Structures are given as structure tokens and as C-alpha cells.
Amino acid sequence: MSGLAYTRFELVRTFRNRRFYIFSIGIPILLYWVIAAPQHNKIITGTAFTYGIYYMVSLASFGTMMSMLSTGARIAGERQVGWTRQLRISPLSVRAYFRAKILTAYAMALLSLCLLYISGAILGASLPAERWLEMTGLIVIALVPLAALGILVGHLITTDSAGPAMGGLVTFLALLGGTYFPITGGVLHTIGQLLPSWWLVQAGHIALHGRGWPVRGWITVLAWTAILATGAGWAYRRDTTKV
Amino acid sequence: MTAQAPAQTDGGIRLNGLIKTFRGPHGPIHAVRGIDVSIAAGETAALLGPNGAGKSTTIDMMLGLSKPDGGTVTVFGRPPREAVDAGLIGAMLQSGALIRDVSVRELVTMMASLYPDPMDVDEALEVTGLKAMASQRTQKLSGGETQRARFALAIVSNPELLVLDEPTVAMDVEGRREFWSIMRAFAARGRTVLFATHYLEEADANADRAILMAHGRVVADGPTTEIKARVGRRTLRATLEDVDPSTLACLPGVASAERHGDAVILSCTDSDQAIRALLERYPAARDIEITGGSLEEAFLELTGEPDDEVSELVAP
Ligand SMILES: Nc1ncnc2c1ncn2[C@@H]1O[C@H](COP(=O)(O)OP(=O)(O)O)[C@@H](O)[C@H]1O
Ligand SMILES: [Mg+2]
């Protein structure tokens, strides 16, 4: 019973905070309109896609990733004011705490995604319904390890380092994941494929190419989920228990 | 609740041989060096000691926020984490603010929802004097109001054990007075209360028992009246001729008196009372100086003594 009340509380709190609208939702949407709107029906040279659809897909991965990682900045803030320790001496279970964090991050990511889809539709990006669905489904799955990463980072950094740490992490994951520009070969390609963000971007590309993840994608996402979830659990305990 | 209370609170709180050492940049910091304390259910005890004595470290271990390096803690017969999970403990930690973007009422309501047998939210807001600002966002509260909201979070759980770590630090005089009267009302419901403070007066006025800590050890433990008599003395010096010290020793608030030439030296249990009485009866008294009475000084004396004497001071 209590766990759900806490989730609702977190949702209310998060959606009242203007800063997080700006970062997690405002920036991707703004970028999309700035890049895609002036030339939304134009085909990108060397591809079969319009600006409208190509950037909708790219910014979907970027925006949802931002939402997931913004959990980290929120957690860092809560730790700084001692709220995390206050919760730790309440009967709220660790599981309910994580559930609240994860669901809040997802709510934000889905809002960001919806707004991008709507913007895309306005700018004439059209796709068969099953492609939208498949893309959305795989994005949701690819975000699982990133939800854990947000929590892990939140329990490691301080509020002072939150800005640079988050910025650096997003840039690194987005760049090597192929969000900003396609990575087609070489060392970066090999490294990129080892990252969860790569498969997030690939999930978006279903809309473009209609290809789901190969086995390797599923394994990578699964492995990162295991590693990062374990890390998040460890960081939380380390944070609330002075050993 | 009342029916199950006795079984739930069986055993009170027991700290046995508790040790905590931190790694510092210049070697180990022995924050807590072996503490044995038991607090009976229903007792109101003050953990009294200067900054750095190890009070917060001890409290963290009691709450399961920190793992002892040696010894054990049980709260009502259970390990701290179990007592926390059962909702038996409410606590106000030493440092901490409130999370933002929620109203006071939303925050207190959420906290109440985590506990099996919470206090009514309106009641918690009422007794902590937050009714008028219940719909305020937490980031708009003043320092004193924030402390009261943190107190509301601690008591809304309706805990068997209430732990308060230097709760009145950010409050003004009036705020403190109100705070302690709420605390005493809560304790009067038969609940166990432990609070940390470095003010002797707070311990004296609000606890039945004071556990004195210094340098990670318990240096004295007993009824507050006894503790006060032991560490609360101030020395009053004045120039005053022709009065017999034995007469001065009978003044209210004075424990003993001696004479050194023209000067008299009074050892006071209550220096405020003593100085009033002195000036009223002997207007000729002058060059008055009151010293001591700080807890730090008293503790220095207590802990500056050789080890065998310190251990002698430790109550059974
Ligand atoms: N996390 C920590 N790491 C290192 N030293 C600590 C830590 N917490 C407390 N200490 C040290 O332990 C001693 C006791 O601190 P504390 O329990 O906070 O005292 P009090 O609450 O009585 O003021 C102090 O010397 C303090 O500096
Ligand atoms: Mg302290």
C-alpha cells in the first residue's frame, strides 16, 4: 500500500519542478523544431528519409535518455538535504523506493516521447502503426538499464558535480550510441555496440529501417541491466549506511 | 495499539559494548569507544555531550544507518533495521532539510502513509503548530518552521521510540520552549524518547535521565538532577569584606563558599539565583565574575581524570 503512495508523491513532486521540464522535455522538443521544422519535408542527402522523421527518431532516443538520467540529479539533490537518510529510517522498502524512482523516470520519458511523436506527426512524419508500436516498445526496454544508471549515478555524485557528470554522461552515451550522427564502422562502431544507448538508438531506427534488435542487442541490454541494477543497489546501500 | 504495546516494546533499547571507528585522513577516528547503555521503554533520556562526543554516531547505529564495528544494538528486542521496518521508530536526524516542491501537508501525509499505525495528519500538524502553513511549499518555510516540519515527520509515525538529534538547533527561544512542551506531551503517552543535546539545561528540563558522553565514552549516567549537580556548577567570585563564608553558603543556589582575603568564591548550583540573592543581601558585593558551567569545561574535568577514575564515574 505504502509503496504506491510514495510513487504518486514522487510523480507529483517531479512534475511540479520546472527545471526538469526544461531539461528532460523542453530541450529535445526545442531541438527537434529548430532542426526539423524549416525543412521537414526535405530528404536528407544519401538517405531515404525526411528531416521530419529522421530527427524525430534521433531525438526520441536523446530525450528519453535525458529523462532517465535526470533521476540522478534529483536523487543527488535529495541526498544533499538528507531526505534519503530520512526515508531509510522509515518502513519504506528499498524496492518501493526504486519503483518510485523508475516509474517517475519512465513517466517523464514517455511524456517526452509523446510530445516528439506529436511534433513529428505535425511535421508530416508518417509511419505504419506497427512500426510506431515496435519502436516504442523497444525504446521502453532499452531504457531499463538507463533507469538503473540514473539511480546509480544519483547515489554517487554530489549536487555540485551533478551538472558536469550528467552532461558528460549524456554526451558520451549519445555520441557513441550514434544519436548525433550515424557511426557505421571502425573502432567507434565496435565500442558503440557495447553501450546500452546504441541499442536505444537502434530501437528508434526501427522506424526507419524496420529492423529489430539482433540477439547481440538483447544480450547487451540485458547485461547492462544486470550490471547497473546491481550497482544501483550497492550505491544506495553505501549511501545510506556508513560502513 | 495500546494492547500490543507492552509486547512490542519489550526489552527497551540496549547498547552493548558499542564501538565505531572511522577512517580519517590522519588515522582512525574513534568516534564511539565502547558504550553500554540500556533505556527502559517509556523512559525519556538525554544523550548529553559536547560536539564530537559521539552522540550522532551512536544514534546512527541505533537507527541502523550505520553498522557498529563492535558490540550490538537492540531496539525493543530487535535489530534496528527490523524495528525501523516495523515502524516502531520515528527520528529527527541532526542534519537535514526538506525536499522541495511539496506542501507541508503532502509531505506529512506521505510519511504517515508509510507507517502501520500513524497519527492523524491534522493532529500532527496541529501539535507542531504547522496548521496555518499546511499548504505552503516546503521551500518557503523558515529555519524554525522547517525544524517543526521535520519534527512532524518524526511524530506522525506515532512511534514507540522517538529519537531526536539536537532538534532545537535552528530554533529561537520561543520555538524551543514550544518544541520541548510538545516532546514532553508525546513522552507522557508512555513512549520512549531519546534526544541528543549539548545543552545541560535542555537535558535537565526535559529528560528524566542524562547519559553524558565525551570522547566516545559514557562518562556519567543518572537522573538529570544528579548529573546537573555534578557538572552544572558555576563559580561566582566577588569582592566582599566582613561576611562569613558559612553564611554565604546558605544563600539559594550556592553549594559551598570560601574566602581568599577580600574575595569570596561561591560554588553555585544555580548562579542566577545566587547572584540575585547575593546582591539583594550584600549590596556591597562588587567585581563580580561568574565562570565555568559550560558543559565542555565540565567534561574536560570529567575526562581529564586518569582512566580508573573515569571508569569509576560510569554509573552501573
Ligand atoms: N562519517 C564520518 N567520517 C569520519 N569521521 C566522522 C564521521 N562521522 C563522525 N565522525 C567523527 O566522529 C566523532 C564523533 O562525531 P559525532 O558522533 O557526530 O559527535 P556528536 O554528535 O556528539 O557531535 C567526531 O570526531 C567526528 O568528527
Ligand atoms: Mg551530533
Side-chain angles (χ1 to χ4, degrees), chain B residues 139-184:
Chain B
Q139 63 263 32
K140 301 247 168 75
L141 300 181
S142 72
E145 287 163 354
T146 299
Q147 285 297 88
R148 274 192 277 154
R150 296 180 66 227
F151 186 39
L153 289 179
I155 61 167
V156 77
S157 59
N158 197 14
E160 287 300 336
L161 168 65
L162 180 63
V163 178
L164 308 164
D165 194 352
E166 305 209 16
T168 57
V169 164
M171 298 181 188
D172 56 20
V173 177
E174 177 63 9
R176 279 171 201 232
R177 204 186 52 74
E178 270 173 30
F179 179 91
W180 289 117
S181 85
I182 304 163
M183 189 285 287
R184 285 195 307 269

Coordinates of all heavy atoms in Angstrom, one line a residue, chain B residues 139-184:
Chain B
Q139 N 9.8 24.6 0.5 CA 11.0 25.5 0.3 C 10.7 26.9 0.8 O 11.6 27.7 0.8 CB 11.4 25.5 -1.2 CG 10.4 26.0 -2.2 CD 9.6 24.9 -2.9 OE1 9.4 23.8 -2.3 NE2 9.3 25.0 -4.1
K140 N 9.5 27.2 1.1 CA 9.1 28.6 1.6 C 9.2 28.7 3.1 O 9.0 29.8 3.7 CB 7.7 29.0 1.1 CG 7.5 28.9 -0.4 CD 7.3 30.3 -0.9 CE 7.3 30.4 -2.4 NZ 6.2 29.8 -3.1
L141 N 9.5 27.6 3.8 CA 9.5 27.7 5.3 C 10.7 28.3 5.8 O 11.8 28.2 5.2 CB 9.3 26.3 5.9 CG 8.1 25.4 5.5 CD1 8.1 24.1 6.2 CD2 6.8 26.2 5.9
S142 N 10.6 28.9 7.0 CA 11.8 29.5 7.7 C 12.5 28.3 8.3 O 12.1 27.2 8.4 CB 11.3 30.5 8.7 OG 10.7 29.8 9.8
G143 N 13.7 28.7 8.9 CA 14.5 27.6 9.5 C 13.8 26.9 10.7 O 13.8 25.7 10.8
G144 N 13.1 27.7 11.5 CA 12.4 27.2 12.6 C 11.2 26.3 12.2 O 10.9 25.3 12.8
E145 N 10.5 26.8 11.2 CA 9.4 26.1 10.6 C 9.8 24.8 10.0 O 9.1 23.7 10.1 CB 8.6 26.9 9.6 CG 7.8 28.1 10.2 CD 7.4 29.1 9.2 OE1 7.8 29.1 8.0 OE2 6.7 30.1 9.6
T146 N 11.0 24.8 9.3 CA 11.5 23.6 8.8 C 11.8 22.5 9.8 O 11.4 21.4 9.7 CB 12.8 23.9 8.0 OG1 12.5 24.8 7.0 CG2 13.4 22.6 7.4
Q147 N 12.3 23.0 11.0 CA 12.6 22.1 12.1 C 11.3 21.5 12.6 O 11.2 20.3 12.9 CB 13.3 22.8 13.2 CG 14.8 23.0 12.9 CD 15.6 21.8 12.7 OE1 15.7 21.2 11.6 NE2 16.2 21.2 13.8
R148 N 10.3 22.3 12.7 CA 9.0 21.8 13.2 C 8.4 20.8 12.2 O 7.8 19.8 12.6 CB 8.0 23.0 13.4 CG 8.2 23.6 14.8 CD 7.1 24.5 15.2 NE 7.4 25.8 14.6 CZ 6.4 26.7 14.3 NH1 5.1 26.4 14.5 NH2 6.7 27.9 13.8
A149 N 8.5 21.1 10.9 CA 8.0 20.1 9.9 C 8.8 18.8 10.0 O 8.2 17.7 9.9 CB 8.1 20.7 8.5
R150 N 10.1 18.9 10.3 CA 10.9 17.7 10.4 C 10.4 16.9 11.7 O 10.4 15.7 11.7 CB 12.4 18.0 10.5 CG 12.9 18.6 9.2 CD 14.4 18.9 9.3 NE 15.1 17.7 9.4 CZ 16.1 17.5 10.3 NH1 16.5 18.4 11.1 NH2 16.7 16.3 10.4
F151 N 10.0 17.7 12.7 CA 9.5 17.1 13.9 C 8.2 16.4 13.6 O 7.9 15.3 14.1 CB 9.4 18.2 15.0 CG 9.0 17.7 16.3 CD1 9.5 16.5 16.8 CD2 8.1 18.4 17.1 CE1 9.1 16.0 18.1 CE2 7.8 18.0 18.4 CZ 8.2 16.8 18.9
A152 N 7.4 17.1 12.8 CA 6.1 16.5 12.5 C 6.3 15.2 11.7 O 5.6 14.2 11.9 CB 5.3 17.5 11.6
L153 N 7.3 15.1 10.8 CA 7.6 13.9 10.1 C 8.0 12.8 11.1 O 7.7 11.6 10.9 CB 8.7 14.1 9.1 CG 8.4 14.9 7.9 CD1 9.7 15.1 7.0 CD2 7.3 14.3 7.1
A154 N 8.7 13.1 12.2 CA 9.1 12.1 13.1 C 7.9 11.6 14.0 O 7.9 10.4 14.3 CB 10.2 12.7 14.0
I155 N 7.0 12.5 14.4 CA 6.0 12.0 15.3 C 4.7 11.5 14.6 O 4.0 10.8 15.2 CB 5.6 13.0 16.4 CG1 5.0 14.3 15.8 CG2 6.7 13.3 17.3 CD1 4.3 15.2 16.8
V156 N 4.5 11.9 13.3 CA 3.3 11.4 12.6 C 3.3 9.9 12.5 O 2.3 9.3 12.4 CB 3.2 12.1 11.2 CG1 4.1 11.5 10.2 CG2 1.7 12.0 10.8
S157 N 4.5 9.3 12.6 CA 4.6 7.9 12.6 C 4.0 7.2 13.8 O 3.9 6.0 13.9 CB 6.0 7.4 12.3 OG 6.8 7.9 13.4
N158 N 3.8 8.1 14.8 CA 3.3 7.6 16.1 C 4.2 6.5 16.7 O 3.7 5.4 17.0 CB 1.9 7.0 15.9 CG 1.1 6.9 17.2 OD1 1.6 7.4 18.3 ND2 0.0 6.2 17.2
P159 N 5.5 6.8 16.8 CA 6.5 5.7 17.1 C 6.5 5.3 18.6 O 6.1 6.1 19.4 CB 7.8 6.4 16.7 CG 7.6 7.8 17.0 CD 6.1 8.1 16.7
E160 N 7.0 4.1 18.8 CA 7.2 3.7 20.2 C 8.5 4.4 20.7 O 8.6 4.7 21.9 CB 7.3 2.2 20.3 CG 6.0 1.4 20.1 CD 5.0 1.8 21.2 OE1 5.4 2.3 22.3 OE2 3.8 1.7 20.9
L161 N 9.4 4.5 19.8 CA 10.7 5.2 20.2 C 10.9 6.5 19.3 O 10.8 6.4 18.1 CB 11.9 4.3 20.0 CG 13.3 4.9 20.0 CD1 13.5 5.5 21.4 CD2 14.4 4.0 19.6
L162 N 11.0 7.6 20.0 CA 11.3 8.8 19.3 C 12.7 9.2 19.5 O 13.1 9.3 20.7 CB 10.3 9.9 19.8 CG 10.4 11.3 19.1 CD1 10.1 11.3 17.7 CD2 9.5 12.3 19.9
V163 N 13.5 9.4 18.4 CA 14.9 9.8 18.6 C 15.1 11.2 18.0 O 14.6 11.4 16.8 CB 15.8 8.8 17.8 CG1 17.2 9.2 17.9 CG2 15.6 7.4 18.4
L164 N 15.6 12.1 18.7 CA 15.8 13.5 18.3 C 17.3 13.9 18.4 O 17.8 13.8 19.5 CB 15.0 14.4 19.1 CG 13.5 14.1 19.2 CD1 12.8 14.8 20.4 CD2 12.7 14.4 17.9
D165 N 17.9 14.2 17.3 CA 19.4 14.5 17.4 C 19.5 16.1 17.3 O 19.4 16.6 16.2 CB 20.1 13.8 16.3 CG 21.6 13.9 16.5 OD1 22.1 14.6 17.5 OD2 22.4 13.2 15.8
E166 N 19.8 16.7 18.4 CA 19.9 18.1 18.5 C 18.8 18.9 17.8 O 19.1 19.6 16.8 CB 21.3 18.6 18.0 CG 22.4 17.8 18.8 CD 23.7 18.6 18.9 OE1 23.7 19.8 18.7 OE2 24.7 17.9 19.3
P167 N 17.6 18.6 18.2 CA 16.5 19.1 17.4 C 16.2 20.6 17.4 O 15.6 21.1 16.5 CB 15.3 18.4 18.0 CG 15.7 18.1 19.4 CD 17.2 17.9 19.4
T168 N 16.7 21.3 18.4 CA 16.3 22.7 18.5 C 17.3 23.7 18.0 O 17.2 24.9 18.2 CB 16.1 23.1 20.0 OG1 17.3 22.8 20.8 CG2 14.9 22.3 20.6
V169 N 18.3 23.2 17.3 CA 19.4 24.0 16.9 C 19.0 25.3 16.1 O 19.5 26.3 16.4 CB 20.5 23.2 16.1 CG1 21.4 24.0 15.3 CG2 21.3 22.3 17.0
A170 N 18.1 25.1 15.1 CA 17.7 26.3 14.3 C 16.6 27.1 14.9 O 16.1 28.0 14.3 CB 17.4 25.8 12.9
M171 N 16.2 26.8 16.2 CA 15.0 27.5 16.7 C 15.3 28.7 17.6 O 16.4 28.7 18.3 CB 14.2 26.5 17.5 CG 13.7 25.3 16.7 SD 12.7 24.2 17.7 CE 12.5 22.9 16.5
D172 N 14.4 29.6 17.7 CA 14.6 30.7 18.6 C 14.1 30.3 20.0 O 13.5 29.1 20.1 CB 13.9 32.0 18.1 CG 12.4 31.7 17.9 OD1 11.9 30.7 18.4 OD2 11.8 32.5 17.1
V173 N 14.2 31.1 21.0 CA 13.9 30.8 22.3 C 12.4 30.3 22.5 O 12.1 29.2 23.1 CB 14.1 31.9 23.3 CG1 13.7 31.6 24.7 CG2 15.6 32.4 23.2
E174 N 11.5 31.0 21.9 CA 10.1 30.7 22.0 C 9.8 29.3 21.3 O 9.1 28.4 21.8 CB 9.3 31.8 21.3 CG 7.8 31.5 21.2 CD 7.1 31.4 22.6 OE1 7.8 31.7 23.6 OE2 6.0 31.0 22.7
G175 N 10.5 29.2 20.1 CA 10.3 27.9 19.4 C 10.8 26.7 20.2 O 10.2 25.7 20.2
R176 N 11.9 26.9 20.9 CA 12.5 25.8 21.7 C 11.5 25.4 22.8 O 11.2 24.2 23.0 CB 13.7 26.3 22.4 CG 14.9 26.2 21.5 CD 16.1 26.8 22.1 NE 17.0 27.1 21.1 CZ 18.3 26.8 21.0 NH1 18.8 26.2 22.1 NH2 19.1 27.0 20.0
R177 N 11.0 26.5 23.4 CA 10.0 26.2 24.6 C 8.9 25.4 24.1 O 8.5 24.4 24.7 CB 9.6 27.5 25.1 CG 9.1 27.5 26.6 CD 8.5 28.9 27.0 NE 7.5 29.3 26.1 CZ 6.3 28.8 26.0 NH1 5.9 27.9 26.8 NH2 5.4 29.3 25.1
E178 N 8.3 25.8 22.9 CA 7.1 25.1 22.4 C 7.5 23.6 22.0 O 6.8 22.7 22.3 CB 6.6 25.8 21.1 CG 5.6 26.8 21.4 CD 5.2 27.6 20.1 OE1 5.4 27.0 19.0 OE2 4.9 28.7 20.2
F179 N 8.7 23.5 21.3 CA 9.2 22.2 20.9 C 9.2 21.3 22.1 O 8.7 20.1 22.0 CB 10.5 22.4 20.2 CG 11.1 21.1 19.8 CD1 10.8 20.6 18.5 CD2 11.8 20.3 20.6 CE1 11.3 19.4 18.1 CE2 12.3 19.0 20.2 CZ 12.1 18.6 18.9
W180 N 9.8 21.7 23.1 CA 10.0 20.7 24.2 C 8.7 20.4 24.9 O 8.5 19.3 25.4 CB 11.0 21.3 25.3 CG 12.4 21.3 24.7 CD1 13.2 22.3 24.5 CD2 13.2 20.1 24.3 NE1 14.4 21.9 23.9 CE2 14.4 20.6 23.8 CE3 12.9 18.7 24.3 CZ2 15.4 19.7 23.3 CZ3 13.9 17.9 23.8 CH2 15.1 18.4 23.3
S181 N 7.8 21.4 24.9 CA 6.5 21.0 25.5 C 5.7 20.0 24.7 O 5.1 19.1 25.2 CB 5.7 22.3 25.8 OG 4.9 22.7 24.7
I182 N 5.9 20.1 23.4 CA 5.3 19.0 22.5 C 5.9 17.7 22.8 O 5.3 16.6 22.9 CB 5.4 19.4 21.0 CG1 4.8 20.7 20.7 CG2 4.8 18.3 20.2 CD1 5.3 21.3 19.4
M183 N 7.3 17.7 22.9 CA 8.0 16.5 23.1 C 7.6 15.9 24.4 O 7.3 14.6 24.5 CB 9.5 16.8 23.1 CG 10.4 15.6 23.1 SD 10.5 14.8 24.7 CE 11.5 15.9 25.6
R184 N 7.4 16.7 25.5 CA 7.1 16.1 26.8 C 5.6 15.5 26.7 O 5.4 14.5 27.3 CB 7.2 17.2 27.9 CG 8.6 17.5 28.3 CD 8.7 18.2 29.6 NE 7.9 19.4 29.5 CZ 8.3 20.6 29.1 NH1 9.6 20.8 28.8 NH2 7.5 21.7 29.1

